[in-house]
Amino acid sequence: RMSDMRARHPRVWNVVTGQFAREEYLALHLAIGFLISLAIIGVFALITEDIVDNSPLTRFDVAVAARLRNSVVPSALQLFEFLSKLGGRGAMTLLLFAGAATYAFRRRGVELTAWCAAFIGGALLDAALRFAVRRSELPFADVVLIDWGTGLASGHALGVLVGYGMLAYLLSSVLRHPAARTIVWVVATAMVVAITISRLYLGQHYISDVTAGLAAALLWVTACISGVEIARQRHFHD
């Protein structure tokens, strides 16, 4: 019976026995990672669903946002606005196509798949975060996300971590010297931190929203990178 099942339904047999082709394993790995990241957003949405204006979390968020906003000098705002644009949708779209072209030119199909999945999945998580989390608008927000109602959860921070995290992985994969790889990851981390801080100082996000966005993005980037590494190093049947 088992032999008959294997002959009649080879794909089902592979799933049951854990035998996958490289592409099948990568797809399953990314799907699980995406669902876990989505679960993080769901948990945060449940936490903030019944938040009212005088709740402890809201008071903390507003107090931190007001302190940051009041402590920044006008000249620094221009720097923060510039840093914020480095993580905007335009920059991330350009990064998506540049990385995809690089992997396509090098004929690295597994990496290309994970690269595109990382950005597409990040965009979906961004949409889920903005839709699920409905917070009141910051009293001094410079940008109002009209398209997403009053949801101001930091999908921006989520996209930045996904984009620069995958860029660091791409660059470190072509560098041979360990010190150069370390520098790439340090610079990428510094960029994510700088852009996230700039959004907080500009008053565009609450600190708890940023934390939720970064947590979901970190899990998603980890899933994408680990999926590529396992798919490259392990032996899979054709």
Side-chain angles (χ1 to χ4, degrees):
R1 292 183 180 181
M2 300 300 292
S3 299
D4 184 63
M5 177 181 176
R6 182 176 184 177
R8 290 172 176 265
H9 308 284
R11 290 188 177 274
V12 176
W13 174 265
N14 290 338
V15 172
V16 173
T17 58
Q19 299 178 6
F20 303 98
R22 181 175 284 105
E23 294 77 11
E24 293 173 341
Y25 172 80
L26 180 60
L28 179 62
H29 190 104
L30 293 178
I32 294 174
F34 181 82
L35 291 176
I36 295 175
S37 301
L38 196 62
I40 292 293
I41 294 176
V43 171
F44 184 73
L46 291 175
I47 293 174
T48 60
E49 182 178 4
D50 297 326
I51 283 182
V52 294
D53 292 337
N54 60 351
S55 69
L57 181 58
T58 299
R59 291 199 303 269
F60 171 77
D61 280 336
V62 173
V64 172
R67 185 178 291 261
L68 292 176
R69 182 67 173 184
N70 294 333
S71 63
V72 67
V73 296
S75 58
L77 288 177
Q78 297 179 355
L79 174 61
F80 290 143
E81 290 174 358
F82 172 75
L83 290 173
S84 180
K85 291 179 181 178
L86 294 179
R89 291 174 184 261
M92 293 299 101
T93 301
L94 180 62
L95 187 58
L96 165 62
F97 286 109
T102 301
Y103 280 130
F105 178 78
R106 298 176 62 195
R107 297 182 180 180
R108 306 293 290 270
V110 172
E111 290 85 346
L112 175 61
T113 300
W115 176 272
C116 295
F119 283 84
I120 295 173
L124 294 176
L125 291 173
D126 179 359
L129 186 60
R130 295 174 186 272
F131 180 79
V133 181
R134 298 286 178 171
R135 302 286 299 274
S136 60
E137 178 188 332
L138 274 69
F140 38 76
D142 295 327
V143 177
V144 179
L145 303 177
I146 299 177
D147 293 341
W148 296 98
T150 57
L152 286 174
S154 187
H156 191 103
L158 188 154
V160 166
L161 180 52
V162 171
Y164 285 101
M166 293 302 295
L167 177 61
Y169 176 70
L170 187 156
L171 295 177
S172 62
S173 65
V174 300
L175 296 174
R176 298 185 180 276
H177 201 285
R181 296 179 180 179
T182 301
I183 292 174
V184 166
W185 282 105
V186 170
V187 172
T189 302
M191 287 295 299
V192 173
V193 173
I195 294 173
T196 301
I197 291 176
S198 71
R199 301 288 287 184
L200 293 174
Y201 270 102
L202 290 173
Q204 295 175 349
H205 298 298
Y206 288 120
I207 190 170
S208 61
D209 297 337
V210 168
T211 303
L214 293 177
L218 182 60
L219 281 172
W220 177 231
V221 169
T222 301
C224 292
I225 294 177
S226 62
V228 171
E229 289 299 308
I230 295 175
R232 287 175 55 189
Q233 297 176 12
R234 286 184 55 184
H235 173 72
F236 294 91
H237 70 80
D238 297 329

